[in-house]
Amino acid sequence: MPANPAYPPHSAPRLFVDEMLSDGMELRLDGSQVHYLANVMRAKAGDKLVLFDDRSGEYLGEVTQAAKRAVTVMLTGKLRERETVPDLWLCAAPIKRARFDWMAEKACELGVRRFVPVLTQRTVVDKIKPDRLRAHMIEAAEQCERSSLPELDNLAKLADLLAKWPEGRHLFFADERIHASGEGSFRKALVAHDGPAAILIGPEGGFSAEENAMVRAHPSAVPVSLGPRILRADTAAIAAISLWMAGRGDWN
């Protein structure tokens, strides 16, 4: 028989654990993770898996006991430290639940450090479920081998967000109104504005004229265009993150 590889195969289960992990630690999993391991993956003693905690990093584990209601795992080695992600926030108005879930999921995959839901005048959805959004982020991180999760803020009113905006953080404001005027090239804005940043995406109906003026008046605001086509809010968010990651993030 071939020897077991030192590093688990890509098919090994990978799970987030919301507690500080350390090499040699034994932990007992329960709930949905047990259902996944015991009933879906048919885990048994000796099976390998990967665990990460969004704190210290990622670890190789071995199942020591598997039952229908509990799985015990021994951590046998640290695989890597918690990853460092670029200092980019996504500030976005909530949209229909499934599409906002998708936005949060993709923001995690793309490496956003913080996700900030923003309440605007035209926001149709005025409530969010943080646990649901976080669950989508966790699932994305598990599948995409991320070892860190975006911070998730509570829903904030746009005016409050701007009033408390941290000095030194650029706020790239996706404004669909400016492309026709020939201004607002995102690529040129990235050249001129290095350092901590955030992207602000409006609701499905766009920002009101009052909100547009309020954002533009903020000293950290950088109005940018996302091209000649009007994009849906979730598409705009992913396009803007991708542009920033390619220009100022860790894609180059």
Side-chain angles (χ1 to χ4, degrees):
M1 294 178 63
N4 290 329
Y7 187 86
H10 288 294
S11 58
R14 187 171 186 276
L15 298 174
F16 167 71
V17 177
D18 194 11
E19 64 176 289
M20 189 76 170
L21 300 178
S22 60
D23 190 16
M25 177 181 182
E26 186 176 61
L27 65 157
R28 184 177 184 271
L29 304 178
D30 53 24
S32 61
Q33 292 180 329
V34 168
H35 172 74
Y36 171 70
L37 290 173
N39 300 322
V40 178
M41 300 301 295
R42 305 292 184 185
K44 59 186 183 300
D47 285 354
K48 307 293 184 182
L49 71 161
V50 176
L51 301 175
F52 68 101
D53 59 4
D54 191 32
R55 297 176 177 86
S56 61
E58 182 180 81
Y59 296 80
L60 179 62
E62 180 177 319
V63 176
T64 56
Q65 184 177 1
K68 289 184 177 181
R69 295 185 178 181
V71 172
T72 304
V73 177
M74 175 69 74
L75 300 186
T76 59
K78 191 170 188 176
L79 298 174
R80 57 173 174 152
E81 298 292 335
R82 181 181 184 272
E83 67 183 290
T84 300
V85 295
D87 194 358
L88 177 67
W89 300 359
L90 174 62
C91 306
I95 53 178
K96 293 178 181 178
R97 186 176 68 179
R99 302 194 73 85
F100 202 55
D101 291 345
W102 184 87
M103 187 191 297
E105 174 186 297
K106 300 311 170 188
C108 177
E109 290 182 34
L110 291 168
V112 165
R113 182 175 292 188
R114 192 169 191 170
F115 188 79
V116 186
V118 183
L119 188 63
T120 68
Q121 291 179 10
R122 293 175 179 169
T123 302
V124 176
V125 179
D126 60 0
K127 294 181 181 180
I128 62 169
K129 293 185 176 180
D131 290 346
R132 181 185 176 91
L133 290 174
R134 182 167 169 80
H136 280 276
M137 291 178 176
I138 289 172
E139 184 176 356
E142 289 175 341
Q143 293 181 5
C144 296
E145 299 188 11
R146 287 204 57 184
S147 60
S148 66
L149 294 167
E151 298 175 37
L152 178 59
D153 278 19
N154 294 322
L155 183 64
K157 293 182 179 179
L158 178 60
D160 293 340
L161 179 73
L162 295 176
K164 300 176 182 178
W165 195 254
E167 185 178 354
R169 181 173 297 277
H170 305 301
L171 179 60
F172 293 102
F173 164 42
D175 185 358
E176 71 275 10
R177 310 177 191 200
I178 65 177
H179 178 75
S181 67
E183 64 172 322
S185 166
F186 202 165
R187 184 168 56 183
K188 291 180 180 179
L190 290 175
V191 173
H193 298 85
D194 194 8
I199 293 167
L200 177 61
I201 302 293
E204 293 165 312
F207 291 104
S208 69
E210 177 187 351
E211 289 173 330
N212 190 289
M214 178 172 58
V215 176
R216 280 176 168 269
H218 196 281
S220 296
V222 184
V224 294
S225 168
L226 294 178
R229 287 163 290 278
I230 299 297
L231 305 178
R232 299 178 72 168
D234 48 345
T235 307
I238 304 312
I241 294 169
S242 300
L243 284 168
W244 191 90
M245 285 294 178
R248 286 297 186 187
D250 53 8
W251 284 16
N252 45 30

